[in-house]
Amino acid sequence: MGVCTGPLWARCVHFGSITLLKGSLSGSVSTRQGVSSNSSSRPPDTSLFVPLSIKSDVGSDGAVGAELTQPLDKNELLKMLNKFYKRKEMQKIAADQGLDARLFHQAFISFRKYVLEISMLSADLHIIFNDICCGAGHIDDLYPYFMRHAKQIFPMLDCMEDLRKISDLRVPANWYPEARAIQRKVIFHAGPTNSGKTHHAIQRYLAAKSGVYCGPLKLLAHEIFEKSNKAGVPCDLVTGEERTFVDEEGRQAEHVACTIEMCSVTTPYEVAVIDEIQMIRDISRGWAWTRALLGLCAEEIHVCGEPAAINFVTELMYTTGEEVEVRNYKRLTPFSILDHAVESLDNLRPGDCIVCFSKNDIYSISRQIEIRGLECAVIYGSLPPGTKLSQAKKFNDPEDPCKILVATDAIGMGLNLSIKRIIFNSLVKPNINEKGEKELDTISTSQALQIAGRAGRFSSIFKEGEVTTMHRDDLNSTWAISEFCPSTAGLHPTAEQIEMFAYHLPDATLSNLIDIFVSLSQVDGMYFVCNIDDFKFLADMIQHIPLNLRSRYVFCTAPINKKQPFVCTSFLKFARQFSRDEPLTFDWVCRHVSWPLVPPKNIKDLVHLEAVHDVLDLYLWLSYRFMDMFPDANRIREIQQELDSIIQVGVRNITRLIRATETNAPPGTNPLSNQRRLGPSPVSPRRVRGAPKAQDSGVEGSQLDKSLGSRLVQEGLLTPDLLRQLQKEWSKVHRQEEGVKLVAGNNKTKGNKKKKK
């Protein structure tokens, strides 16, 4: 794959006429087979194998063994068992049967416990022990009985080959026979943000007899839904939480706009549009793009995305024998990279958008902007769609005094905004890596381009965009952001695969089944198994609730925010009520969320209202999977719309909520995060580059800088520039006072000397 060079914002942009990419299918397959054979030899992670408990019941043949031989002494049994455990030959033979050192040890502990605690051994095992004790047998004769016990507590040992076949994910293209039965034409619309690539794909979608649009967000699906119907093309809307049919009798339209997880891979279409294809490598949702790209049953597949993804998509299509036609687009409006940072909120201008990567930064900066007498709109990911659109409308309205936007990277997709200048408050974003670990990473080129491209959009009042950073040091590092080229596609185990696993391992928990599946899964070099931590989190949460496997699996795929305790508690109550076969009625939900609700009085109230909105989303999501048990979807949607309006009121007054939160907060705490204030600025989870340090003032250890000064900056009452100016003045006064004291002291010393004389 070629390496892209040049400035960040111009990087990976291909120009030129239509090109046709072809490749050697046989060569590609042989290479991938080589990778696959390596992965198939990978041993399973046996730490995931949980031993089953075996009851020490009396053998079915009672005391026959003792009657035929003689009673056994427990001390002698223990000696024989320990001698067997130390036999290296036994461990080697057991390893060939799938018992590595860890499993061998666990199996032996269980076997020893069984032998010593059972009141009467089975006749055959009793006779074997007696023969060994009398010298008529060898200690190795215990091996078959040990292995029989090991397979009872580790049932996966008997079906390992079957489990490997079920978890073989090396040829996902074969999972979609309907798509493989037709010769699809794949067109890649490549270009940067605001290049019109999606517009051209949608024009073909509207002209087709039937079509499906697959987008990453509900907002995007809703936008295409409205655009299609306004253009006179009847179109349905399908998201995880909503089904809208334009036909009054509920008949399906020939066109549908959906979130990508909801697309049908069995319905035939003339045209399918897959938006933001670069998300195929997303560690959580990438599987949905893989499924759509390989499985959509459409004559034409129009893929929209960044040029950096062209090579990978082309290579992926080699596995299906389909050619990729590439159409390149230029950005419709120019934008420039400024050579200076903003450095202070005093330098903000109308049309500015400050991009943060945490809600706490949003709250803090909004408060500081208000102190300067400016109004700002606020957009972040956990806001309801209606509230996001309301804030976008407020910011875009030329008659509204709100001319500043403070937002997270949620603005990167789905919202049309009239932005002149994008200002990155930070280039560091909290992420979860492929191992499920949290880490702070510098944003990728793809993320930076997606966000920066919102400046100077074609349909906005600004015909040219600008991009810069808040802090000077970040400006220098912006152009060193790592390159982003998708090289793998996500996969996820299906309910059918997990059910087949459960057939072989009926006593395993769902979380354990998923762990074993991933451990045994075989993927080639083009794919990876998506992160399943959220799935396992939910599976563990409801493990004690009696549910059949399919229902449990569906519950665990629900898209919930596990960081919200109220959402998790609601999820648990939903599952428990469901397990009792008691429908979750409108009245039940209203009691649970304490409906009706009132506008928020502080940030804590606002966060709770957002959580309630998520709970209602969860109800709607489940209502389309279990209609009988969640029967009041329409009434729930009505109160959710009311709640959206209440949240809009709160967000419009967000600075007032922040002030109320600060007023009620205990001294020495950060009211926005409930954490002790550890740094000089609340604007970032790390120390903000360019923020004043104690030594900058010229008075090391100055009390002004250490306590009062940092507090004033945090609360937005002082800017860093004003703080430095105050430090200089204080330092000057301090030196003058010290000079006066020194002169007075010298004069006093001279006077004392004269008196002595």
Side-chain angles (χ1 to χ4, degrees), residues 584-643:
L584 287 87
T585 63
F586 175 79
D587 292 337
W588 187 94
V589 174
C590 287
R591 286 195 301 272
H592 173 64
V593 301
S594 303
W595 184 263
L597 296 164
V598 297
K601 297 177 181 178
N602 51 45
I603 290 297
K604 183 180 178 181
D605 290 348
L606 178 62
V607 171
H608 177 69
L609 291 181
E610 293 170 6
V612 173
H613 193 279
D614 286 347
V615 169
L616 300 183
D617 253 353
L618 173 62
Y619 183 98
L620 294 173
W621 190 90
L622 290 167
S623 72
Y624 288 108
R625 279 96 185 148
F626 308 106
M627 294 182 183
D628 293 341
M629 298 301 294
F630 297 84
D632 295 329
N634 291 333
R635 298 180 70 186
I636 293 295
R637 184 170 288 106
E638 288 174 3
I639 67 170
Q640 189 186 44
Q641 291 169 354
E642 291 182 44
L643 177 58

Side-chain angles (χ1 to χ4, degrees), residues 25 33 67 253 319 364 404 460 470 531 614 707 754:
L25 178 61
Q33 286 174 341
E67 293 174 0
T319 63
S364 175
I404 307 294
S460 75
M470 180 63 72
N531 185 285
D614 286 347
S707 58
K754 288 179 180 179

Side-chain angles (χ1 to χ4, degrees), residues 485-591:
C485 289
S487 57
T488 51
L491 297 172
H492 193 282
T494 66
E496 291 76 17
Q497 289 168 326
I498 299 304
E499 281 180 337
M500 285 190 282
F501 251 56
Y503 173 80
H504 290 287
L505 307 173
D507 297 308
T509 66
L510 179 55
S511 179
N512 192 225
L513 285 173
I514 287 287
D515 274 335
I516 296 173
F517 184 97
V518 174
S519 170
L520 294 177
S521 64
Q522 302 170 65
V523 296
D524 72 15
M526 298 185 73
Y527 300 96
F528 69 95
V529 179
C530 284
N531 185 285
I532 39 84
D533 284 352
D534 288 351
F535 185 99
K536 287 172 53 186
F537 174 83
L538 298 181
D540 289 335
M541 189 190 302
I542 62 172
Q543 180 54 42
H544 65 287
I545 297 176
L547 294 169
N548 64 57
L549 183 64
R550 178 60 70 110
S551 297
R552 190 181 299 277
Y553 181 93
V554 172
F555 264 85
C556 294
T557 56
I560 77 167
N561 181 2
K562 68 179 184 181
K563 296 178 183 177
Q564 285 282 5
F566 183 70
V567 178
C568 293
T569 301
S570 302
F571 175 80
L572 193 59
K573 288 185 176 181
F574 282 12
R576 188 176 291 117
Q577 185 84 349
F578 180 92
S579 72
R580 296 171 183 153
D581 204 24
E582 297 176 4
L584 287 87
T585 63
F586 175 79
D587 292 337
W588 187 94
V589 174
C590 287
R591 286 195 301 272

Side-chain angles (χ1 to χ4, degrees), residues 194-209:
N194 193 28
S195 60
K197 57 184 183 296
T198 306
H199 170 78
H200 284 84
I202 293 301
Q203 292 306 304
R204 177 68 187 96
Y205 162 84
L206 295 175
K209 294 178 182 177

Side-chain angles (χ1 to χ4, degrees), residues 477-495:
S477 62
T478 303
W479 325 127
I481 288 175
S482 61
E483 189 53 79
F484 174 96
C485 289
S487 57
T488 51
L491 297 172
H492 193 282
T494 66

